Amino acid sequence: MVKKEVVLTQEGLKKMEEELEYLKSVKRREIAARIKQAIDFGDISENSEYDEAKNEQAFVEGRIALLEEKLRNAKLIDEVDISTDVVSVGSKVKLKDLDTGDIFEYMIVGSAEADPIENKISNESPVGNALIGEKKGSIVEVSVPAGIIKYEIMDIMK
């Protein structure tokens, strides 16, 4: 099986490492204490607290494994390597929707870091993919379920 490269910014790498450390050091202990307390209640066959804690434990262990896998396959984007000439992973892009006139600012990140609430879009998303390699002043057409959206790249920043 081919391992998928996980593209991360320095900030994304730090966030992922912090989450992994929290899950391993704090969350595991909390869940272990909950399981022990549930076992102390007696019969675990009909113990909802025990079942809940075991389910949470399985989720946390799965998340730990996923984070460790992503960190093993991480490719760090160095801010020095980010160009302001063309859009690349790590670029901050100012866009103008040519239909509505609305202005948007996005940071292009790898899929592991994507967070639309923080205006971080994946390089694999339709908008992110359309922007990669484009220059300031370019008009980019993005195919979305509602049709085609046209953006003008107003600025590319680090």
Side-chain angles (χ1 to χ4, degrees), residues 29-87:
R29 284 193 195 113
E30 287 176 2
I31 294 169
R34 285 181 46 211
I35 290 171
K36 182 183 179 320
Q37 183 181 27
I39 289 171
D40 290 345
F41 288 144
D43 183 13
I44 61 171
S45 65
E46 294 183 25
N47 186 327
S48 63
E49 287 86 2
Y50 177 80
D51 291 340
E52 208 175 286
K54 289 299 279 183
N55 286 339
E56 187 176 1
Q57 181 184 44
F59 173 80
V60 167
E61 292 303 323
R63 182 71 181 152
I64 287 170
L66 179 69
L67 289 170
E68 288 176 338
E69 179 73 15
K70 285 182 177 184
L71 289 170
R72 266 194 302 277
N73 296 309
K75 177 185 178 220
L76 189 62
I77 300 299
D78 192 342
E79 193 170 319
V80 174
D81 297 332
I82 299 170
S83 170
T84 55
D85 296 330
V86 295
V87 178

Side-chain angles (χ1 to χ4, degrees), residues 52-157:
E52 208 175 286
K54 289 299 279 183
N55 286 339
E56 187 176 1
Q57 181 184 44
F59 173 80
V60 167
E61 292 303 323
R63 182 71 181 152
I64 287 170
L66 179 69
L67 289 170
E68 288 176 338
E69 179 73 15
K70 285 182 177 184
L71 289 170
R72 266 194 302 277
N73 296 309
K75 177 185 178 220
L76 189 62
I77 300 299
D78 192 342
E79 193 170 319
V80 174
D81 297 332
I82 299 170
S83 170
T84 55
D85 296 330
V86 295
V87 178
S88 62
V89 175
S91 297
K92 290 180 184 162
V93 185
K94 190 175 196 177
L95 303 174
K96 180 177 184 178
D97 184 320
L98 294 179
D99 292 331
T100 65
D102 292 339
I103 308 263
F104 304 97
E105 204 168 292
Y106 294 115
M107 181 173 188
I108 310 298
V109 295
S111 59
E113 274 185 85
D115 185 352
I117 293 170
E118 292 185 21
N119 291 332
K120 293 181 178 181
I121 60 172
S122 168
N123 62 322
E124 297 174 15
S125 71
V127 174
N129 190 36
L131 293 171
I132 296 290
E134 296 292 336
K135 296 180 179 185
K136 182 177 176 178
S138 297
I139 305 295
V140 179
E141 293 185 0
V142 181
S143 182
V144 295
I148 294 185
I149 300 174
K150 292 182 182 179
Y151 292 113
E152 177 185 351
I153 300 174
M154 298 177 69
D155 201 4
I156 304 170
M157 305 152 283

